Amino acid sequence: MLELLTSEEMARAEQLAAEAGTSTLTMMENAGRAVAEEVVRRYPRGSRVTVLCGPGNNGGDGFVCARYLRERGYQVRLALLGKQEELHRDPKEMARRWDEAIEPLSLQSLEGAQIVVDAIFGTGLRDDIGGAVAQIIEEVTARKLPVVSVDVPTGIDATRGNVRGLAFKAAATITFFRRKTGHVLLPGRLYCGDVRAVEIGIPATVLADIAPRTFANDPDFWLRYYPKLRLDGHKYDRGHAVIVSGPMESTGAARLAARAALRSGAGLVSVATSKAAFYINAAQLTAIMVAPFDGAAGLSDYLSDPRIRATLIGPGAGRDPEVKDLVLSVLASDAVAVLDAEGITAFQDSPAELFDQIRARPAPTIMTPHEGEFLKVFPEFEDEVSKLERARRAAELSGAVIILKGADTVVAAPDGLAAISENAPPWLATAGSGDVLAGLVTGLLAQGMAAFDAASAAVWIHGELATTYGPGLIAEDLTEVLPAVLQRLDKRGKIFS
């Protein structure tokens, strides 16, 4: 279940399932029962549960949940936002099947409650939360009552993942058919608790019609494209990656990236360096080669070697005006290009020039900005709430694959394909970790992996490295646990045999 759906795509999935013969009442019955089963799994029988129902289909799921909880021995109280007679067909039918009291939704509905089932607003949320619903969310939060949410916590935009005013912070969320993008994007992910997608009668065949373009970043998404080692191969088969070093006072970033590229499997890795920084780099590198160059013209000459498959520029590049010319030299080469850090922000005064160069080159380009760097070259997207859409629109505008970094890193291709990561632990936020990520991307590109797949794989591996090492991590540690992570990947996808 790697597909991540928008609210609109989920509505389409339900429509297609109904057209294929699955009753909408059956889907609602299955959904409500699954929510009840989650409550039963988590909380003891006999507990006092308040089920909060909204006026739409989410509320209909809540009516079903209440009925099943009552049958399982829970003390159930049900409150409705709105009037029963104004409900639409399916929720009205489920309200009829609930043959006990339905009280108006208010703070009094929480009296005596030990557990809350949130079935107020699901994927259909359109406005910011206010009024009685806002008061209830505040009271539930103040009382620290455990919440099980239906589809998505009330107050979270299921597509964008942003908070619409305020929202329930659920212990668990039961969603249907497939997870939504808002379950994975921040801050929504922080409000959902444990998310479980359950089947309610929608056939997987509807995905062919929907054609979702957003996926969870997991090895199952890209592992079949991971470069395989051949017994009769040699180092040039595995590709030559070049990392362009910064000035002598900031060479460490390039060395971090170069080590990551080599560890990821590139056959050869070179650090291209100014003559001023040559001896600093040469003194600290062994398996990684050091190649001096003189200015942008010298870098262009060096990169003309057709055996160079991927080049990274940006880590520790500095803010000298020459950086811009060096980036243009990289983009003028035939190698796949990775732009990171100052390799991106060097064009903050002329982003159109950068994008023109990227779109004009036959080889792919990947950019790896964090949010601050992103806004320097894509300021027009500052007001776009959705990180996913920011990355997508930037990829389309620039012609590059965008890795928009963070705890919910988004990889977006110019054609709209996107992957969202969710495996980065908090201790990955440490100096130099982004340089390692850029090096991982470059190493995979050197081995012939396609740009979007290499970006997705590198981001996931990066998070897995940090998780494997644990707290106390510094950037130098990341490459040291890469062999163990690759061995685990080999067990899943036979990348070494």
Side-chain angles (χ1 to χ4, degrees):
M1 291 188 177
L2 296 178
E3 302 90 355
L4 299 172
L5 303 185
T6 65
S7 297
E8 292 76 13
E9 288 169 340
M10 184 60 197
R12 177 65 176 155
E14 291 172 338
Q15 177 188 349
L16 291 169
E19 291 172 357
T22 304
S23 163
T24 54
L25 281 173
T26 297
M27 287 188 275
M28 187 171 285
E29 185 79 11
N30 292 339
R33 181 172 62 245
V35 177
E37 289 171 352
E38 183 68 16
V39 174
V40 171
R41 190 175 71 85
R42 287 176 170 271
Y43 305 109
R45 188 180 304 233
S47 299
R48 296 186 297 276
V49 183
T50 293
V51 179
L52 305 174
C53 293
N57 286 345
N58 203 248
D61 299 337
F63 282 111
V64 176
C65 173
R67 175 159 39 89
Y68 278 101
L69 288 177
R70 180 185 61 188
E71 293 172 0
R72 297 293 293 271
Y74 290 80
Q75 301 177 58
V76 182
R77 185 173 184 173
L78 192 146
L80 172 64
L81 178 65
K83 298 178 180 180
Q84 184 175 345
E85 59 270 19
E86 295 177 356
L87 294 173
H88 292 152
R89 187 195 65 180
D90 287 358
K92 182 178 286 188
E93 172 59 21
M94 294 310 185
R96 185 192 67 79
R97 296 182 189 182
W98 169 257
D99 54 5
E100 293 190 21
I102 299 175
E103 62 185 77
L105 188 143
S106 68
L107 289 176
Q108 285 69 43
S109 308
L110 301 176
E111 290 180 3
Q114 296 173 301
I115 304 154
V116 170
V117 172
D118 159 33
I120 304 176
F121 297 122
T123 58
L125 180 66
R126 295 292 179 267
D127 300 313
D128 288 353
I129 299 297
V133 176
Q135 293 176 352
I136 285 179
I137 292 174
E138 290 173 342
E139 187 64 22
V140 167
T141 302
R143 296 187 192 184
K144 298 181 180 180
L145 293 174
V147 176
V148 175
S149 286
V150 179
D151 217 2
V152 66
T154 291
I156 297 299
D157 187 305
T159 295
R160 297 174 179 84
N162 59 309
V163 180
R164 301 298 302 267
L166 71 169
F168 282 115
K169 206 158 195 178
T173 298
I174 300 300
T175 194
F176 313 119
F177 183 53
R178 294 294 186 271
R179 290 188 298 166
K180 314 307 178 291
T181 51
H183 291 136
V184 181
L185 293 167
L186 294 177
R189 192 169 89 204
L190 302 176
Y191 286 78
C192 292
D194 298 328
V195 180
R196 190 158 58 92
V198 300
E199 297 295 348
I200 59 171
I202 301 174
T205 53
V206 305
L207 292 170
D209 185 284
I210 296 169
R213 302 293 287 162
T214 308
F215 296 83
N217 190 356
D218 178 89
D220 287 341
F221 183 55
W222 43 258
L223 191 55
R224 58 185 165 170
Y225 307 117
Y226 200 89
K228 305 289 193 295
L229 297 184
R230 293 188 0 241
L231 187 62
D232 61 347
H234 54 78
K235 60 187 178 183
Y236 280 106
D237 286 335
R238 296 171 63 183
H240 185 183
V242 172
I243 315 299
V244 181
S245 172
M248 58 182 179
E249 67 271 16
S250 58
T251 57
R255 290 194 298 274
L256 283 170
R259 187 170 181 84
L262 191 64
R263 279 282 196 195
S264 72
L268 299 89
V269 177
S270 298
V271 169
T273 175
S274 66
K275 292 180 179 179
F278 175 82
Y279 291 106
I280 295 174
N281 280 315
Q284 300 194 53
L285 295 172
T286 305
I288 295 164
M289 299 179 290
V290 185
F293 68 86
D294 188 7
L299 181 60
S300 293
D301 288 342
Y302 175 66
L303 294 178
S304 64
D305 185 340
R307 294 174 298 181
I308 297 172
R309 289 188 187 168
T311 303
L312 164 65
I313 186 168
R319 298 177 180 175
D320 191 286
E322 185 192 31
V323 173
K324 186 174 177 180
D325 293 331
L326 295 176
V327 173
L328 293 174
S329 293
V330 169
L331 293 177
S333 75
D334 293 331
V336 181
V338 182
L339 310 183
D340 181 49
E342 289 97 351
I344 300 169
T345 58
F347 290 85
Q348 66 184 69
D349 295 329
S350 56
E353 179 185 3
L354 174 62
F355 305 156
D356 288 344
Q357 293 297 316
I358 290 172
R359 288 194 297 267
R361 68 193 314 261
T365 303
I366 297 176
M367 291 197 281
T368 66
H370 56 59
E371 289 281 359
E373 293 161 348
F374 179 89
L375 291 176
K376 287 182 179 179
V377 289
F378 299 105
E380 60 267 55
F381 301 142
E382 184 173 8
D383 294 332
E384 171 57 64
V385 172
S386 169
K387 181 175 184 176
L388 174 60
E389 287 308 306
R390 287 200 302 278
R392 270 203 175 108
R393 293 174 66 184
E396 181 181 15
L397 175 64
S398 67
V401 172
I402 299 293
I403 300 176
L404 184 50
K405 296 184 290 192
D408 55 349
T409 294
V410 175
V411 180
D415 66 358
L417 187 63
I420 307 174
S421 294
E422 48 188 327
N423 70 330
W427 51 87
L428 186 54
T430 184
S433 66
D435 305 318
V436 173
L437 172 61
L440 290 172
V441 176
T442 309
L444 293 175
L445 291 168
Q447 295 172 76
M449 204 170 184
F452 179 81
D453 298 319
S456 300
V459 168
W460 185 90
I461 290 170
H462 192 235
E464 189 69 10
L465 293 175
T467 300
T468 299
Y469 190 90
L473 171 88
I474 60 174
E476 288 93 326
D477 300 323
L478 288 165
T479 53
E480 302 312 297
V481 292
L482 187 51
V485 170
L486 292 179
Q487 287 166 21
R488 292 202 296 270
L489 281 176
D490 182 53
K491 292 178 181 179
R492 291 181 64 167
K494 295 297 180 186
I495 62 177
F496 299 141
S497 56

